[in-house]
Amino acid sequence: MSNETILNGRYLLTAQQGSGGMAVIYKATDKALGRTVAVKILRPSMTVDPQFIVRFQNEARAIANLTHPNIVTVHDVGTHTDPKGTTHYMVMEFVEGADLKRIIRGDGNGTPLPVELALHYAIQICAGIGFAHRAGIVHADVKPQNVLVNSTDQMIKVTDFGIAQALSETQPKEREAVVWGSPHYFSPEQAKGEKPSPASDVYSIGIVMFEMLTGRLPFNGTTQQELAISHVRDIPPKISQFNPEVPEELVAIVARALDKVPSARYRDAAQLGHLLISLREKLRIARMNSTYAQMPVDSSQTQPPPTPPQSSRPVEPRQQTAPPPPPNTSTAGNRTPPPMAPTLRPMPPVQQTPPPAGSNVMTQRVNAAPESYQQAPLRPQTPRMSQPASPLVAPPQPPVVEPANYYNSRPMKPQHSEPTVSRGLFDPVTLALAALALIAVTCLIPLYIAVFQAR
């Protein structure tokens, strides 16, 4: 196909990027939107069956609904007709970079990828395919050729979803011819002609991881039938036989993904991805700890501080001075009195001023306490040392005796109530009431007699 081919007057094919058993990939320009895209054109041998075309278009529409950073976005699917025939194509986003197969091959010496880089790629592959599994889509053709690596940020993009699935369901006779991808990566159930499942994609991811960590494939054969038999019967070798630097935990994870029984593998790519993420964190922490342990210790921080230089001059013994003698208590002039506690000055007695002559107003002030009590000097309070807390008891107060004057000349009533004295039965009120009752009865007797006679 020439470089000037335009599909449906919109997609201008500029260069061929790659080819596979089912399609050829071209770099193209979308003239309507002015962007670079990738166009996958199915080979004429794959477009003979109309059912396959319908199935291919349905799968393309289903994949177009998958929006994930690790899945190539599908923009369009269509058919182009010209004098040469009918062309079926799929338009996808263009990824600037190389596929994972070219990165694994490298310089052709079979050098394995570093463990950290292999985990980085495998986790992204599991993320994209696991997202498709949750949407009910099985890739059925996982291989390094369908994994694109962005050269700018090392972002993984998985492509070619559903093409092998559509082919396996519409052309059963072609299963034995291994037309749905490379026989190096398909699962044992696919080699038997069974329908692929998410566990089949897990097996293929395990093959890809084996190749990244060792630089070689677990099974080799001269024919497709030999490869199919190896996937079904042979036990894959351990990764540690070819790369001792791979951790044993990662070796066990890949070995489980390559189990012959689908139910013994991880149920989908998402579960496998979670285990790889946990393993990457463990390896990162272990690497950091080993780095800290190997860091040189600064000797300046561990040595004791330098001692000051000692003088060569002999050190004279220090004379001890005797304590001062106690003060002489015999001499009164030199004796220093001990500090006295401050004393409170007694309050002067209140002077009573006599009222002016001719005034009837009593102006005498009443003292609540006798003068003898007010004039008594207060006891000095000395600072008390720390003692255990004791309840405070108020000192007894002296009885208050007031002088007799106008206000308190009468005897004061006691504060408490006096007991009530019971009165006798014949008090004046009772006798008066009894007399009135007797008079009333005496007056009513003649009235009763008159009434009785009247009857």
Side-chain angles (χ1 to χ4, degrees), residues 152-226:
T152 303
D153 54 3
Q154 299 296 310
M155 179 68 72
I156 289 292
K157 295 283 187 177
V158 183
T159 184
D160 281 357
F161 276 89
I163 297 180
Q165 178 76 3
L167 183 63
S168 64
E169 294 184 358
T170 56
Q171 299 183 14
K173 297 181 180 180
E174 299 293 338
R175 294 175 182 173
E176 298 180 358
V178 197
V179 295
W180 51 9
S182 174
H184 293 89
Y185 301 94
F186 59 38
S187 63
E189 56 269 22
Q190 288 176 284
K192 296 177 183 179
E194 300 176 1
K195 181 178 180 180
S197 63
S200 304
D201 288 344
V202 171
Y203 184 91
S204 300
I205 295 174
I207 298 292
V208 175
M209 293 181 61
F210 188 99
E211 187 177 5
M212 287 191 297
L213 294 171
T214 62
R216 63 185 301 274
L217 291 169
F219 304 113
N220 294 313
T222 57
T223 62
Q224 299 174 353
Q225 287 75 13
E226 291 181 2

Side-chain angles (χ1 to χ4, degrees), residues 218-455:
F219 304 113
N220 294 313
T222 57
T223 62
Q224 299 174 353
Q225 287 75 13
E226 291 181 2
L227 288 173
I229 294 174
S230 298
H231 284 291
V232 174
R233 298 178 181 179
D234 297 345
I235 298 176
K238 288 187 176 181
I239 296 178
S240 55
Q241 298 179 3
F242 307 99
N243 188 0
E245 297 181 359
V246 179
E248 290 297 329
E249 189 173 355
L250 182 56
V251 173
I253 291 175
V254 177
R256 181 179 175 183
L258 297 179
D259 198 285
K260 304 300 181 182
V261 182
S263 59
R265 307 172 200 147
Y266 303 104
R267 62 177 180 271
D268 54 16
Q271 184 182 12
L272 175 59
H274 292 323
L275 293 176
L276 296 178
I277 292 174
S278 301
L279 177 61
R280 183 177 62 179
E281 294 301 324
K282 291 180 182 179
L283 296 178
R284 183 177 301 176
I285 294 174
R287 185 170 60 255
M288 292 175 59
N289 294 337
S290 62
T291 303
Y292 291 153
Q294 296 176 2
M295 292 178 60
V297 182
D298 190 359
S299 59
S300 61
Q301 297 181 1
T302 58
Q303 294 180 358
T307 57
Q310 298 182 358
S311 176
S312 60
R313 185 178 59 183
V315 180
E316 297 180 359
R318 185 176 181 181
Q319 298 180 359
Q320 298 182 356
T321 58
N328 188 8
T329 58
S330 61
T331 306
N334 297 332
R335 183 177 60 186
T336 303
M340 301 295 294
T343 58
L344 299 178
R345 184 176 300 176
M347 298 179 61
V350 180
Q351 300 293 333
Q352 298 183 3
T353 307
S359 175
N360 296 329
V361 181
M362 302 297 296
T363 60
Q364 183 179 1
R365 184 174 181 179
V366 180
N367 295 331
E371 295 181 0
S372 60
Y373 178 74
Q374 292 183 356
Q375 294 178 359
L378 297 178
R379 186 177 181 179
Q381 298 181 359
T382 58
R384 183 176 298 176
M385 302 297 293
S386 60
Q387 298 179 357
S390 61
L392 299 179
V393 181
Q397 299 292 337
V400 179
V401 180
E402 297 183 358
N405 50 31
Y406 179 80
Y407 294 100
N408 55 11
S409 59
R410 292 176 294 180
M412 298 180 64
K413 296 181 179 180
Q415 298 296 332
H416 59 274
S417 61
E418 297 180 357
T420 305
V421 180
S422 60
R423 298 178 180 180
L425 298 177
F426 302 100
D427 56 336
V429 177
T430 306
L431 294 176
L433 292 177
L436 290 177
L438 180 61
I439 295 173
V441 172
T442 305
C443 294
L444 291 176
I445 291 175
L447 180 60
Y448 290 156
I449 295 173
V451 173
F452 183 75
Q453 292 177 356
R455 292 181 179 179

